[in-house]
Amino acid sequence: MRGYACDQRRFFATRFQPGHANSDQLTLYVRKNHHDVLAAPGTYSYAYDAQSEHNFRRYFNSRESQSGFVIENIDPSGSSAAAFRNQDNGTRVITNCTSQAGIATVCEGKMISETVYDGYRRIVIALHGSYSLVVDQIPEKLGSRRSWIGWQFDPQASLQITTAGAVRAEVERTESILVPSDNLPSPEVFTGSLEPLRGWVSSKYGKVDAAPYVSFPLGSGHVLAAFLLADAGQVPSPQLSVRNLESGVIGITVISDSFTDDLLYLSQWGSFGGVKGLPEFSGRFLFARRRGNILTELSTLGSKSLKWPEF
């Protein structure tokens, strides 16, 4: 059985099982109006064929086919060179989630591993009735290894990359948008690529279908990356930024044509304060929306105290 966290439309896998399992810890799948937008890549085959020109079995078994953080040629689930994985690979995921009706569902997963994936965190914030945010905290010991954050779209998805690097995806007349934070470079798009092997989905055993895969390369200076997922038109002309404020506290800003949202996220229940111009509060999560200079929405998860700064 798979382990999932977050709400019914946005899931990220949290389990590892030895054997045939794919390396999909903390990867994300999105289904909308009964259609996949971000798709699970599928299995293709349980047999490893070292003689094949294009080893699709290894590809579908690896993180490079998933919607998540990838370090090239390193698999936190251990070797998939044979039909079965090692049962004792030393990798696991710790998760914690909280939710409040009408406000948000917040889930965090942290990878514990004997590989350089150790310490990698993925945070999903689903604002109820609105957009979702995905925040990736990249391990600092990554060094010069080639890495990226990839997004595997459904084979039926038609993509358009905007000048700002956002991805507009249409599936069955329903359009979604994926917006990267402003510290990320323009993405690369692969559809049915054989060199490198990328941009494939297996809809049934033994079959492969070309499907758009969008890759955002990471540099040695990347510690945080964030993405906004929304219905097209829900957030007009969005811009996204993310930053570390202090130990364990992440600040996120979403700017659109009609509003500005500021979010503060604490990886653990606690208190935040002492940063000029930002509120002091206890809890897990704070959301504030301004239209012009007017604060129109303010909500928190688990907050017992809140002190708003003077402007």
Side-chain angles (χ1 to χ4, degrees), residues 138-147 217-224:
I138 312 303
E140 293 184 3
K141 57 186 177 183
L142 186 61
S144 60
R145 295 177 179 88
R146 187 167 182 263
S147 62
L218 298 172
S220 58
H222 282 112
V223 177
L224 284 175

Side-chain angles (χ1 to χ4, degrees), residues 132-169:
S132 293
L133 294 166
V134 180
V135 180
D136 290 302
Q137 187 168 44
I138 312 303
E140 293 184 3
K141 57 186 177 183
L142 186 61
S144 60
R145 295 177 179 88
R146 187 167 182 263
S147 62
W148 64 89
I149 297 172
W151 301 95
Q152 181 58 69
F153 287 85
D154 186 79
Q156 301 301 317
S158 175
L159 301 192
Q160 175 189 356
I161 310 298
T162 71
T163 55
V167 183
R168 301 182 75 91

Side-chain angles (χ1 to χ4, degrees), residues 233-239 255-259:
Q234 193 174 36
V235 186
S237 304
Q239 301 174 52
I255 300 175
S256 79
D257 288 345
S258 55
F259 58 79

Side-chain angles (χ1 to χ4, degrees), residues 225-243:
F227 298 86
L228 180 148
L229 290 164
D231 297 339
Q234 193 174 36
V235 186
S237 304
Q239 301 174 52
L240 175 65
S241 62
V242 61
R243 60 205 182 278

Side-chain angles (χ1 to χ4, degrees), residues 92-106:
R92 58 193 176 96
V93 169
I94 299 173
T95 62
N96 59 76
C97 298
T98 187
S99 183
Q100 187 168 331
I103 299 178
T105 298
V106 179

Side-chain angles (χ1 to χ4, degrees), residues 55-111:
N55 190 351
F56 280 105
R57 165 58 182 161
R58 192 213 68 82
Y59 172 74
F60 284 111
N61 204 221
S62 74
R63 294 188 66 81
E64 295 178 19
S65 65
Q66 305 281 341
S67 293
F69 170 56
V70 181
I71 304 173
E72 189 174 41
N73 297 326
I74 299 180
D75 193 329
S77 298
S79 172
S80 60
F84 294 90
R85 288 187 184 276
N86 190 333
Q87 294 191 23
D88 185 18
N89 61 75
T91 293
R92 58 193 176 96
V93 169
I94 299 173
T95 62
N96 59 76
C97 298
T98 187
S99 183
Q100 187 168 331
I103 299 178
T105 298
V106 179
C107 293
E108 176 182 326
K110 181 179 180 180
M111 195 179 294

